[in-house]
C-alpha cells in the first residue's frame, strides 16, 4: 500500500472551483473498518449539494459517496469481506473521491465477479435508490402507473428498466427529445419532453384524466407543484432530490385539497443505515443486474483530476445515464 492517497477535499462550500486535491494519509483499518483501493468512483447530485452548500457539512471535508474497488486490509471484527475481495459501496462517510481510503465495513458489500468495477461504482447509490423507491417506500405492483422525472439520468434509466421488469407503467419526463428516446429505450412506457410540452397536461391525457399512482421526483423546486397535480386521489408523492433547488415551504392543507395525497421525503442513507438491510438491498439490485433486467448505462467517464469538469457537466444537466471518475 502507499502511505497517502490523492483525495478531493473542499475547505469552503461554493462552485466547482472550491474542489481541491491533497495527499491524505490512508493508515490501517481499525475495528469494524476496511481499507479499499478504488478502481472507479460514482458521481452523484448529493456531491454537488454538499459542495455547493445546499447541504451543510463540517469543513474541511472530503467528497464522494460511492465507489468500487478491492479490499486491501480488514480490521478486527470484520467477517463479511476479506482482503482481496471485490467490493462496492454507496453510502457511509463521504470520501469516495480518492485513490484509496479507510471506512466503516458495514457500508461495503461484495461485488459479484460478473459486475465490473465501473458498473458497481455507477450502480450502488443510484441502484439502491431505485430499490427503495420501488420496494420500500410504497407498495408497487404490476399495472401501477408511476411518473418519473429526470428519466434520462443515472437513477432515471435504472428506474425505467426496473419498472419494465416489474410490469409497472412508467411515464418519463426529460428535457429533450433525445433524452426521451433514451428513457423509452430503457423501458419507459411513455416519455414527455418537458422542453416542448406541459408535463401535467400530458400526464392527464395519458392517464385519461385519472392521474398516476406515484410520482418519483428528484428535480425539486421546478416540478414539485406540478407533480402533485399529476397524482390521483390518495396518490403518493416521493420527493427524493432537488436538482433544480430546494422545495419551498408549502401548506399541508394543499395535500387535502388535491385529493388526500400522501407525501414523503426519504433518504437512501436511512434505508441502508443497518448493514444487514444494506446487503439485502444490494443483493436485490445485483440480481436484477445479473439477469439483465437492469443494465447500467455509463454516459460519461472523467479522470479523478477532472472532477470539477464532471461537476459542471452534471449541474448543467449535460449528462446522460451515470458518470464515473477513474482514480
Amino acid at each position: 500500500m502507499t502511505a497517502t492517497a490523492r483525495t478531493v477535499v473542499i475547505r469552503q462550500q461554493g462552485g466547482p472551483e472550491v474542489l481541491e486535491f491533497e495527499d491524505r494519509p490512508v493508515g490501517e483499518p481499525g475495528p469494524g473498518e476496511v481499507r479499499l483501493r478504488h478502481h472507479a468512483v460514482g458521481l452523484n447530485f448529493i456531491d454537488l449539494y454538499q459542495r455547493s452548500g445546499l447541504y451543510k457539512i463540517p469543513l474541511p471535508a472530503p467528497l464522494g459517496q460511492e465507489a468500487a474497488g478491492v479490499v486491501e486490509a480488514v480490521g478486527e471484527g470484520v467477517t463479511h469481506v476479506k482482503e482481496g475481495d471485490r467490493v462496492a459501496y454507496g453510502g457511509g462517510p463521504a470520501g469516495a473521491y480518492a485513490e484509496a481510503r479507510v471506512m466503516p465495513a458495514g457500508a461495503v458489500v461484495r461485488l459479484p465477479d460478473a459486475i465490473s468495477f465501473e458498473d458497481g461504482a455507477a450502480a450502488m447509490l443510484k441502484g439502491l435508490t431505485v430499490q427503495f423507491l420501488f420496494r420500500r417506500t410504497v407498495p408497487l405492483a404490476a399495472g401501477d402507473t408511476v411518473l418519473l422525472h429526470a428519466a434520462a439520468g443515472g437513477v432515471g434509466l435504472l428506474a425505467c428498466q426496473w419498472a419494465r421488469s416489474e410490469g409497472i407503467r412508467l411515464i418519463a419526463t426529460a428535457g429533450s427529445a433525445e433524452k426521451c428516446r433514451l428513457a423509452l429505450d430503457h423501458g419507459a412506457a411513455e416519455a414527455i419532453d418537458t422542453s416542448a410540452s406541459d408535463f401535467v397536461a400530458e400526464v392527464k391525457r395519458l392517464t385519461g384524466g385519472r392521474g398516476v399512482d406515484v410520482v418519483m421526483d428528484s428535480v425539486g423546486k421546478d416540478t414539485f407543484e406540478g407533480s402533485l397535480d399529476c397524482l390521483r386521489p390518495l396518490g403518493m408523492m416521493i420527493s427524493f432530490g432537488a436538482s433544480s433547488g430546494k422545495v419551498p415551504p408549502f401548506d399541508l392543507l394543499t395535500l387535502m385539497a388535491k385529493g388526500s395525497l400522501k407525501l414523503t421525503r426519504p433518504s437512501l442513507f436511512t434505508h441502508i443505515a443497518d448493514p444487514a438491510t444494506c446487503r439485502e438491498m444490494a443483493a436485490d439490485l445485483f440480481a436484477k443486474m445479473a439477469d439483465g433486467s437492469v443494465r447500467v448505462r455509463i454516459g460519461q467517464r472523467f479522470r479523478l483530476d477532472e472532477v470539477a469538469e464532471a461537476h459542471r457537466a452534471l449541474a448543467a444537466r449535460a449528462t446522460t445515464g451515470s458518470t464515473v471518475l477513474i482514480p
Side-chain angles (χ1 to χ4, degrees):
M1 65 162 285
T2 55
T4 62
R6 190 163 171 78
T7 303
V8 178
V9 299
I10 60 171
R11 304 185 190 284
Q12 60 182 327
Q13 292 181 298
E17 68 278 359
V18 304
L19 296 165
E20 301 179 15
F21 288 89
E22 67 178 40
D23 291 328
R24 285 196 159 192
V26 179
E28 295 297 323
E33 293 182 332
V34 293
R35 187 177 73 236
L36 309 177
R37 174 67 51 180
H38 289 155
H39 286 237
V41 176
L43 178 69
N44 295 281
F45 270 104
I46 189 173
D47 308 341
L48 274 63
Y49 301 159
Q50 292 179 339
R51 186 215 71 221
S52 68
L54 180 63
Y55 291 177
K56 300 301 180 184
I57 57 174
L59 298 172
L63 291 181
Q65 299 282 346
E66 175 183 50
V70 174
V71 176
E72 288 190 332
V74 300
E76 182 182 350
V78 177
T79 58
H80 71 287
V81 294
K82 64 183 185 303
E83 183 178 340
D85 279 351
R86 303 172 73 253
V87 296
Y89 63 90
Y97 289 6
E99 294 171 331
R101 70 180 299 195
V102 170
M103 67 177 296
V108 174
V109 300
R110 294 186 64 179
L111 185 67
D113 290 341
I115 299 175
S116 71
F117 289 120
E118 289 192 7
D119 283 357
M124 279 296 291
L125 198 151
K126 301 173 189 69
L128 294 180
T129 295
V130 171
Q131 201 275 351
F132 87 69
L133 289 172
F134 281 87
R135 290 273 200 258
R136 297 171 58 84
T137 306
V138 60
L140 282 167
D144 288 341
T145 301
V146 169
L147 172 65
L148 175 76
H149 291 298
V155 169
L157 294 181
L158 294 176
C160 289
Q161 296 173 77
W162 196 292
R164 177 173 57 188
S165 74
E166 302 278 323
I168 294 166
R169 179 190 181 192
L170 187 143
I171 301 173
T173 75
S176 69
E178 180 183 5
K179 289 186 174 183
C180 284
R181 285 193 295 272
L182 196 57
L184 291 169
D185 289 344
H186 283 74
E190 292 94 8
I192 300 167
D193 180 356
T194 54
S195 70
S197 302
D198 174 4
F199 75 83
V200 177
E202 281 296 290
V203 167
K204 291 295 179 66
R205 182 183 67 81
L206 290 169
T207 60
R210 174 182 181 270
V212 300
D213 300 296
V214 175
V215 176
M216 299 176 178
D217 188 339
S218 64
V219 176
K221 177 174 64 69
D222 290 353
T223 54
F224 182 78
E225 289 190 14
S227 292
L228 292 177
D229 290 334
C230 290
L231 284 167
R232 63 163 174 80
L234 304 178
M236 168 67 84
M237 167 73 165
I238 307 173
S239 176
F240 69 101
S243 62
S244 69
K246 185 177 179 181
V247 175
F250 81 108
D251 187 347
L252 279 175
L253 290 176
T254 302
L255 300 178
M256 179 188 71
K258 291 182 180 292
S260 299
L261 305 180
K262 296 181 284 288
L263 168 65
T264 184
R265 204 324 181 172
S267 165
L268 169 64
F269 304 116
T270 307
H271 286 275
I272 63 174
D274 173 63
T277 301
C278 179
R279 290 195 287 272
E280 289 173 5
M281 292 171 64
D284 191 17
L285 170 64
F286 293 156
K288 289 278 190 187
M289 295 173 69
D291 70 14
S293 298
V294 170
R295 298 181 186 276
V296 178
R297 185 182 192 277
I298 299 174
Q300 303 74 216
R301 293 171 175 83
F302 294 87
R303 298 189 310 274
L304 184 61
D305 61 12
E306 298 174 316
V307 62
E309 181 183 346
H311 272 228
R312 292 187 184 97
L314 185 60
R317 302 188 191 181
T319 64
T320 56
S322 298
T323 302
V324 294
L325 307 171
I326 307 301

